[in-house]
Amino acid sequence: MLSFLIRRLATFLPTFIGVTVIAFAFIRLLPGDPILLLAGERGVSAERYEALRQQFGFDQPVWRQYLDYVWGILHGDLGTSFVTKRPVLDEFMALFPATVELGLCAIILATLLGIPAGVIAAVNRGKFFDQALMSTALVGYSMPIFWWALLLIIVFSGTLGWTPVSGRLGLMYFFDQPTGFMLIDSLLSGQPGAFRSAVSHLILPTIALATIPLAVIARQTRSAMLEVLGEDYVRTARAKGMSPMRVNGIHALRNALIPVVTVIGLSVGTLLAGAILTETIFSWPGIGKWMVDSIFRRDYQAVQGGLLLIALVVMIVNLIVDLTYGFINPKIRKG
Amino acid sequence: MRKLIAISLSAMLMGSAASAANLVYCSEGSPEGFDPALYTSGTSFDASARNVMNTLVEFTHGETSTEPGLAESWEVSEDGTEYTFHLRQGVKFHTTDFFTPSRDFNADDVIFTFDRQGNADSPYHQMTQGGSYEYYNSMSMPDLIKSIEKVDDYTVKFILSRPEAPMLANLAMPFASILSKEYADKLVEAGTPELMNQQPIGTGPFKFVGYQKDAVIRFARNDDYWQEPAAIENLIFAITPDASVRYQKLKAGECHVMPYPNPADLEAMKSDENINVVSREGLNVGYLAYNTKQEPFDKPEVRKALNMAMDKKAIVDAIFQGAGAVAKNPIPPTMWSYNDAIEDDPYDPEAAKKMLEDAGVTDLSMKVWAMPVQRPYNPNARRMAEMIQADFAKVGVKAEIVSYEWGEYLERSKAEDRDGAVLLGWTGDNGDPDNFLAVLLGCDAVGSANRALWCNEEFDDLIQKAKVESDQAERTKLYEQAQVVFKDQAPWATIAHSVVNEPISSKVQGYKIDPFGGHVFYGVSLAE
């Protein structure tokens, strides 16, 4: 186990270096001079241009800029936003809880619905229910999130008026947010109705964000189940007269879940990508929306820092998934 | 029975208190910060300067003309280089959870406001790490303002290095919002200077309450305002970047005012009885600038012929879809000194063809530059260029469309040996015609914002005279004359002024579209 841990950690480092290179190159490979872009139609005088170049370190040779950048990262300094002039790390940390909250709700919803759906489909293989479920999953998987999210808003908020259109909380509530998790903070605030408001604001973005992982989990569960259901021990159990509920629910599902857990872990990347669109549509003040805002404002420092942090989160989650998986299934450790 | 009356009465009271007092504005983005001197974007000014602060001279609500603000009156010296402002007395800075002023607004605050922007040695110059004063710099304030002197507590004198007629309009711009020196001192002493940019203090009609990043900004009415207090008790910005979602929120009654609607939604909005769409022509112009230094575009008759070959009405209808008007002058009609007597070149391809032949121009091939970005004055430059190309083809002129990445486009279009005519435009900053005519067409601007590279002695003479003249009636005459010269010489094809549409709830009263693209909520009330 220890050697697996070390091996896995050893691949972490080069990946991380690769990510720093990509994030760093990203803003330098994009067409156009960021400083000219900041100035726009108005134009900028030569002296002012030079001063801005120096201020943002663009006058240094590229290798030097990269070393400064990495040096900064090692000291927890991801640079200062071009636009807000605040440290990128502070901006990120202030918004991250909102994204985590939404992401967790989405993954929980996707798991709670996806696994049973996959099991039922597998057990009823080839029947109408299976086909209906799998084609729905395919539709869910291929649906453009921004369109789907807008459709949800128009139907459930605009037409039916069941849920608020966007935001995280009703505008009449105003309180400190010590944890950044609205479900917790609204309870702590002691304001009546705040928690309900927070929940009602979570519903649509959670559904929008859960759609793709839900489809993936349902399909993965189905195929894992089908594989397991064909195994000898399941047939034996069945032959011994065990109830179908016991066979499917306990014997088969437990083993089928191993690959499903991996899929859930891998969904974190998908979730973060989906969050960029979902948060923008629902005015959800998380890092996804922040990244979009930064790109529109050409706030390169923020984009560069944000990319790195998001990549880091995905890598850490994958590392944890791998380690857990290795822990459950010893075969993996050898590979 | 009595109980019933009591219940219905209290319900009525609660109802009115809840709806009449709070105005929700679905803003399109997060402010970059709350110190208006540091930024150039309208989104940031809406959340600070325009609702929270005042300037010495103010724009009249919804107009481009100016009126007294924190300065009650002023005198300008004979030679136009000394401005003496008499400040209003008894003006209070906001009292909030985080600051309680001990004195009224005075001359120290004015000097602090400008000195920290222009003087790099000022202890207040870098209150926000890495912050710089882009507007102050781009308005050439550093070399224009020689010094600012405090005559007494309520008199301040600005000494300029040269006469500058737009000076008063400049001082009404957001970057010149007056901030509290006492507040700055307190923050510096506490070692938290950066709060200046996070928790603003001003003298304006609303005071800052709190900001949840990327979500909500709250303002409360300033009951000590030096003018009549605002009608709205709480002003809330609900940050909503997606235009379709803003529309849904407006429909659901979750907000009362929304900026930047999708053009495609306008029809539906107009037919909704709960929504009013208010419109006005924007303070901008979209144009096609010829390179007047290059053959055959150095001849005014060639430029005029090409202008006549363009079916501008069709172009504007197609590109702006009802949100634009054909332009005939380089300044928009909402601007003072707009010369409405000017006749636009008619659309007449036959006459255009003949004029080109008379000028000896045959087989003309040229380039038409299309901007790669959307701007209010040109939402689809590529399509516009294609329509111009088709119109030109009808008079035998071959046009090739070119485009570059935006930064490159702006840079390359300045070059004197540039090939072809460039689509571009401008949005006004301060409501002064100088901000269009001199910036875009003056001889000094050749090589920078003057994309026609046009330097006409008669025109330049007129705008130079107008620049140093402080009597507005005189300036108006000069600018009207300059527009005659412009139309006669045709360095540009003036194409469009966009129309700004703002959907508001039918409950909102007194809302006026700000010609500078801002969103101002003083003077606005909510009906039942």
Side-chain angles (χ1 to χ4, degrees):
Chain A
M1 188 65 201
L2 188 67
S3 75
F4 171 64
L5 188 72
I6 293 168
R7 253 186 296 136
R8 193 59 189 74
L9 281 174
T11 59
F12 190 85
L13 195 66
T15 318
F16 185 71
I17 293 172
V19 170
T20 63
V21 172
I22 291 169
F24 174 83
F26 172 77
I27 70 166
R28 278 143 188 99
L29 291 177
L30 277 183
D33 181 333
I35 293 175
L36 280 182
L37 288 168
L38 276 176
E41 288 104 298
R42 209 161 296 285
V44 61
S45 70
E47 306 94 75
R48 195 71 214 121
Y49 179 83
E50 207 36 56
L52 285 169
R53 253 167 65 84
Q54 275 174 22
Q55 188 185 335
F56 294 114
F58 285 105
D59 56 334
Q60 304 283 338
V62 174
W63 61 266
R64 183 65 209 266
Q65 292 180 39
Y66 178 72
L67 289 185
D68 286 348
Y69 170 64
V70 173
W71 184 252
I73 294 171
L74 295 177
H75 291 77
D77 174 12
L78 287 166
T80 307
S81 156
F82 268 16
V83 167
T84 62
K85 327 287 182 197
R86 277 160 49 90
V88 171
L89 190 61
D90 290 4
E91 300 256 291
F92 184 90
M93 291 317 288
L95 297 170
F96 195 47
T99 301
V100 172
E101 184 171 49
L102 177 58
L104 277 178
C105 287
I107 204 79
I108 290 171
L109 180 71
T111 311
L112 287 184
L113 294 181
I115 292 181
V119 172
I120 296 172
V123 174
N124 296 294
R125 179 181 190 180
K127 293 187 192 148
F128 171 76
F129 187 80
D130 177 32
Q131 282 168 350
L133 212 65
M134 283 309 109
S135 37
T136 314
L138 191 66
V139 171
Y141 185 71
S142 7
M143 192 121 57
I145 288 197
F146 61 91
W147 179 80
W148 172 229
L150 208 54
L151 198 71
L152 288 172
I153 290 179
I154 289 172
V155 173
F156 292 101
S157 312
T159 311
L160 298 170
W162 291 353
T163 53
V165 177
S166 72
R168 258 184 114 186
L169 190 67
L171 293 169
M172 55 282 209
Y173 302 104
F174 194 42
F175 43 79
D176 277 345
Q177 296 171 13
T179 66
F181 293 92
M182 193 58 84
L183 292 178
I184 300 172
D185 291 337
S186 62
L187 281 175
L188 291 177
S189 77
Q191 293 188 18
F195 181 72
R196 250 183 66 191
S197 174
V199 171
S200 68
H201 280 83
L202 251 170
I203 296 172
L204 292 189
T206 301
I207 295 175
L209 191 56
T211 304
I212 290 178
L214 170 59
V216 173
I217 291 170
R219 288 162 62 95
Q220 180 62 48
T221 309
R222 178 180 176 272
S223 63
M225 271 301 274
L226 286 178
E227 197 169 309
V228 176
L229 286 177
E231 299 271 335
D232 289 344
Y233 73 96
V234 175
R235 270 186 285 167
T236 313
R238 219 179 257 147
K240 277 162 70 184
M242 210 178 262
S243 75
M245 194 69 168
R246 244 183 107 86
V247 176
N248 297 330
I250 305 199
H251 276 66
L253 181 60
R254 189 185 283 169
N255 286 304
L257 274 185
I258 295 174
V260 174
V261 168
T262 321
V263 167
I264 295 173
L266 290 175
S267 307
V268 171
T270 325
L271 276 179
L272 283 166
I276 290 183
L277 293 167
T278 312
E279 290 181 1
T280 303
I281 303 281
F282 288 100
S283 317
W284 193 264
I287 47 165
K289 181 172 171 304
W290 173 65
M291 285 297 281
V292 173
D293 279 354
S294 304
I295 291 167
F296 275 123
R297 288 171 176 168
R298 313 213 179 243
D299 188 348
Y300 289 101
Q301 297 275 17
V303 176
Q304 177 178 283
L307 275 180
L308 185 77
L309 288 168
I310 290 172
L312 199 61
V313 169
V314 174
M315 284 165 60
I316 289 173
V317 171
N318 282 341
L319 182 67
I320 293 171
V321 169
D322 275 9
L323 293 180
T324 336
Y325 195 38
F327 193 71
I328 301 171
N329 185 354
K331 272 195 289 185
I332 298 294
R333 288 182 228 159
K334 304 223 174 74
Chain B
M1 187 63 193
R2 199 188 287 163
K3 204 174 161 192
L4 200 70
I5 294 172
I7 290 173
S8 53
L9 252 179
S10 64
M12 265 168 65
L13 282 174
M14 275 170 64
S16 64
S19 63
N22 301 327
L23 187 131
V24 182
Y25 168 59
C26 274
S27 62
E28 78 288 3
S30 310
E32 297 153 320
F34 293 90
D35 180 346
L38 296 174
Y39 304 107
T40 55
S41 81
T43 310
S44 296
F45 295 153
D46 286 345
S48 56
R50 288 180 178 130
N51 292 297
V52 178
M53 291 153 188
N54 293 115
T55 43
L56 290 177
V57 181
E58 304 234 295
F59 291 115
T60 309
H61 186 36
E63 305 295 324
T64 57
S65 50
T66 51
E67 62 183 27
L70 291 180
E72 242 168 355
S73 63
W74 49 83
E75 291 109 42
V76 184
S77 68
E78 244 344 74
D79 66 352
T81 58
E82 276 185 35
Y83 284 68
T84 309
F85 291 97
H86 302 285
L87 306 182
R88 201 174 290 276
Q89 303 199 10
V91 174
K92 308 231 175 305
F93 279 104
H94 297 152
T95 301
T96 63
D97 293 350
F98 49 89
F99 178 66
T100 307
S102 69
R103 63 164 177 82
D104 288 352
F105 152 79
N106 69 24
D108 293 334
D109 300 311
V110 177
I111 292 176
F112 157 74
T113 293
F114 293 97
D115 185 62
R116 76 177 186 122
Q117 300 191 47
N119 174 8
D121 301 327
S122 157
Y124 311 103
H125 190 67
Q126 275 293 344
M127 291 191 73
T128 297
Q129 267 291 311
S132 57
Y133 302 98
E134 287 314 310
Y135 243 113
Y136 189 87
N137 288 317
S138 74
M139 298 294 293
S140 319
M141 290 288 158
D143 54 281
L144 177 66
I145 298 180
K146 218 155 63 179
S147 65
I148 304 175
E149 288 165 14
K150 172 177 174 176
V151 180
D152 60 47
D153 270 357
Y154 291 97
T155 316
V156 179
K157 196 186 265 183
F158 281 67
I159 299 173
L160 308 186
S161 56
R162 56 172 189 269
E164 174 97 348
M167 185 65 189
L168 291 173
N170 290 348
L171 292 182
M173 290 169 60
F175 79 89
S177 296
I178 304 296
L179 304 181
S180 163
K181 176 165 189 299
E182 191 190 359
Y183 181 48
D185 283 337
K186 191 198 132 189
L187 292 179
V188 169
E189 200 179 309
T192 53
E194 71 282 357
L195 289 183
M196 187 87 173
N197 190 24
Q198 292 162 28
Q199 301 186 319
I201 286 288
T203 56
F206 296 98
K207 50 189 188 185
F208 176 84
V209 176
Y211 173 40
Q212 282 160 9
K213 191 166 165 47
D214 288 354
V216 188
I217 318 171
R218 276 155 210 282
F219 304 96
R221 175 168 65 205
N222 172 12
D223 289 316
D224 297 325
Y225 194 40
W226 53 275
Q227 300 183 63
E228 187 167 323
I232 304 162
E233 209 166 301
N234 293 293
L235 172 64
I236 298 161
F237 282 26
I239 298 166
T240 314
D242 190 277
S244 314
V245 177
R246 285 200 293 278
Y247 174 32
Q248 292 299 322
K249 288 189 84 125
L250 184 66
K251 236 165 76 171
E254 286 180 33
C255 61
H256 299 105
V257 177
M258 68 167 275
Y260 314 113
N262 278 331
D265 291 336
L266 282 173
E267 275 316 306
M269 288 170 174
K270 283 176 185 164
S271 60
D272 186 334
E273 61 179 21
N274 296 319
I275 297 176
N276 287 337
V277 179
V278 286
S279 320
R280 85 178 284 168
E281 275 161 64
L283 195 71
N284 58 38
V285 62
Y287 57 80
L288 177 74
Y290 302 104
N291 181 351
T292 59
K293 295 222 155 153
Q294 205 181 46
E295 278 194 333
F297 307 104
D298 53 345
K299 295 196 191 94
E301 56 272 28
V302 174
R303 307 194 290 256
K304 264 191 126 52
L306 291 173
N307 287 359
M308 286 165 68
M310 287 163 58
D311 186 355
K312 291 202 283 191
K313 174 88 179 54
I315 293 174
V316 171
D317 284 350
I319 306 297
F320 290 86
Q321 296 179 8
V326 170
K328 61 180 180 180
N329 284 322
I331 59 174
T334 43
M335 173 96 79
W336 60 270
S337 85
Y338 180 80
N339 190 344
D340 207 18
I342 298 265
E343 291 253 355
D344 201 10
D345 302 309
Y347 169 55
D348 189 345
E350 285 310 313
K353 211 167 178 176
K354 183 157 186 317
M355 275 170 79
L356 286 175
E357 276 165 19
D358 291 349
V361 177
T362 49
D363 285 338
L364 176 61
S365 296
M366 65 183 290
K367 285 188 174 131
V368 172
W369 293 38
M371 299 146 47
V373 292
Q374 277 190 1
R375 282 293 183 271
Y377 51 75
N378 195 338
N380 189 347
R382 185 86 206 176
R383 181 92 189 88
M384 189 184 280
E386 284 164 9
M387 293 185 75
I388 293 173
Q389 183 183 43
D391 281 344
F392 282 178
K394 288 180 199 148
V395 298
V397 175
K398 239 189 262 152
E400 180 198 346
I401 299 171
V402 294
S403 194
Y404 301 96
E405 177 280 321
W406 187 221
E408 284 288 298
Y409 189 94
L410 291 167
E411 211 41 39
R412 288 190 190 209
S413 56
K414 293 175 186 166
E416 301 212 356
D417 57 356
R418 174 198 91 214
D419 186 8
V422 171
L423 283 172
L424 208 62
W426 185 255
T427 301
D429 297 307
N430 59 6
D432 196 288
D434 183 77
N435 180 252
F436 278 75
L437 299 175
V439 171
L440 304 176
L441 293 156
C443 291
D444 291 344
V446 172
S448 60
N450 185 340
R451 257 72 180 203
L453 307 150
W454 183 64
C455 177
N456 177 286
E457 212 174 301
E458 196 186 353
F459 179 89
D460 211 55
D461 218 36
L462 288 163
I463 60 166
Q464 290 302 337
K465 265 196 206 134
K467 202 183 176 79
V468 296
E469 173 66 58
S470 47
D471 177 29
Q472 186 157 333
E474 279 304 311
R475 294 187 67 206
T476 300
K477 275 188 212 154
L478 293 164
Y479 285 132
E480 283 175 352
Q481 189 52 37
Q483 288 165 72
V484 173
V485 178
F486 168 87
K487 198 79 226 173
D488 184 54
Q489 293 290 314
W492 300 345
T494 49
I495 297 174
H497 306 295
S498 74
V499 172
V500 177
N501 288 300
E502 279 187 2
I504 60 174
S505 152
S506 52
K507 287 182 189 160
V508 175
Q509 293 173 340
Y511 184 76
K512 288 181 182 168
I513 295 189
D514 177 52
F516 305 104
H519 300 89
V520 180
F521 297 99
Y522 182 62
V524 176
S525 59
L526 274 179
E528 266 311 287

